[in-house]
Amino acid sequence: QVQLVESGGGLVQAGGSLRLSCAASGSILRINTMSWHRQAPGKQRELVAEIISGGYTNYADSVKGRFTITRDNAKNTVHLQMSSLEPEDTAVYYCNALIIADKSATRDYWGQGIQVTVSS
């Protein structure tokens, strides 16, 4: 059983900063890609940022230059530092990881999601 648990969400004013964290636990053999997705009301879930084992990163155009994704392989964690937040960033943010679990093939795992609200 593999679980992803997010933390660090909340309410912040426009222009402020917030740091999301996600920790993976369970019968994990290896974690390949870790990423953050978000879903705003009435919109599809979209990829925000991803980081591959080894440090390569990729960002959505809408957040490039404002968000930074990092990971700690020893702790099976990923972070998303969000700066210069805008009301348009308001959404539920989901942690995702491509994991090879014990007694299982490679598959995607998802956290329950955490609310980020940016007020104007």
Side-chain angles (χ1 to χ4, degrees):
Q1 201 87 341
V2 175
Q3 292 188 149
L4 302 179
V5 180
E6 303 104 333
S7 62
L11 175 65
V12 66
Q13 290 187 327
S17 299
L18 211 58
R19 187 178 188 238
L20 303 182
S21 298
C22 173
S25 62
S27 300
I28 300 171
L29 295 180
R30 179 181 298 173
I31 301 179
N32 188 6
T33 302
M34 302 189 79
S35 63
W36 288 95
H37 295 67
R38 68 184 182 187
Q39 187 167 18
K43 296 184 178 180
Q44 294 183 328
R45 187 175 299 185
E46 63 176 348
L47 174 67
V48 177
E50 62 181 356
I51 183 167
I52 302 171
S53 179
Y56 294 99
T57 59
N58 183 44
Y59 297 91
D61 290 339
S62 60
V63 307
K64 188 172 296 184
R66 299 188 297 119
F67 291 9
T68 301
I69 187 170
T70 58
R71 67 186 288 174
D72 186 333
N73 293 328
K75 297 181 179 180
N76 289 334
T77 60
V78 63
H79 306 280
L80 185 67
Q81 179 66 49
M82 304 182 292
S83 300
S84 301
L85 284 164
E86 306 167 353
E88 292 74 20
D89 295 316
T90 296
V92 176
Y93 284 70
Y94 296 89
C95 179
N96 170 262
L98 183 61
I99 296 175
I100 301 176
D102 191 19
K103 300 181 181 180
S104 179
T106 302
R107 57 165 286 185
D108 281 328
Y109 291 87
W110 294 87
Q112 288 192 340
I114 188 166
Q115 180 70 46
V116 171
T117 302
V118 184
S119 64
S120 58

